[in-house]
Amino acid sequence: MFSARDSVEVDADVESVFAFLDDPHNHAAVTPRLEDVRDVERLPNGGKRLAYTYRMVGLGIDGEIVQTAHEPNERMTFELRGRLTGTIDLTFEPAADATELTYAAEYDLPENALTALGEPVVRRFNERQVRATLDAVADRFANDAE
């Protein structure tokens, strides 16, 4: 199991950041290597179930994401199913005129990816992916403010 956790301050109110990330297609816009989001279905808890394609080690990895927690303006939790398994937890905290967005993830990777790259490389890759995603969200709102 690999884990990565990081935070960023987003120059927008919690409601706006939550609404942006509540649309699965926006995840594809800000998550490096997330190539496709499709078959989005709304769940009774307010969350979504969807299929995705993620590119890793030159391969397209298909899977399913189920949003297990959908707490408006506070938290989203996703369960990854398929060749990539794990959880992603997003929390939203008011911070002055901004939002503190925290991304915490735990992943189990396909054995061939771990074997090909080695554990230290995979760990750094995951940390960079989380940071890049958070920066992309912050940049999206910074650009909207200009």
Side-chain angles (χ1 to χ4, degrees), residues 27-50:
H27 286 266
V30 297
T31 304
R33 302 181 189 271
L34 181 58
E35 292 187 339
D36 186 34
V37 169
R38 61 195 174 279
D39 303 329
V40 177
E41 169 192 346
R42 183 162 293 279
L43 300 173
N45 70 356
K48 285 101 183 151
R49 174 190 322 269
L50 58 101

Side-chain angles (χ1 to χ4, degrees), residues 13-130:
D13 59 70
V14 169
E15 292 81 6
S16 297
V17 178
F18 189 93
F20 176 79
L21 290 172
D22 200 31
D23 179 346
H25 296 95
N26 288 334
H27 286 266
V30 297
T31 304
R33 302 181 189 271
L34 181 58
E35 292 187 339
D36 186 34
V37 169
R38 61 195 174 279
D39 303 329
V40 177
E41 169 192 346
R42 183 162 293 279
L43 300 173
N45 70 356
K48 285 101 183 151
R49 174 190 322 269
L50 58 101
Y52 71 90
T53 301
Y54 186 80
R55 181 146 308 270
M56 175 181 259
V57 194
L59 302 171
I61 299 172
D62 292 321
E64 178 184 61
I65 294 176
V66 177
Q67 193 171 10
T68 57
H70 183 268
E71 301 167 19
N73 305 322
E74 293 180 17
R75 182 171 173 234
M76 297 178 183
T77 302
F78 305 89
E79 181 181 315
L80 299 160
R81 299 176 180 171
R83 289 186 62 210
L84 289 176
T85 59
T87 59
I88 298 171
D89 192 56
L90 302 176
T91 56
F92 306 77
E93 294 282 334
D97 291 329
T99 299
E100 182 77 16
L101 174 62
T102 300
Y103 185 123
E106 290 189 349
Y107 303 99
D108 277 327
L109 301 177
E111 188 61 34
N112 62 345
L114 179 57
T115 304
L117 294 175
E119 186 174 330
V121 173
V122 172
R123 189 169 309 284
R124 284 192 305 274
F125 173 83
N126 286 338
E127 290 167 354
R128 284 193 309 270
Q129 292 295 101
V130 167

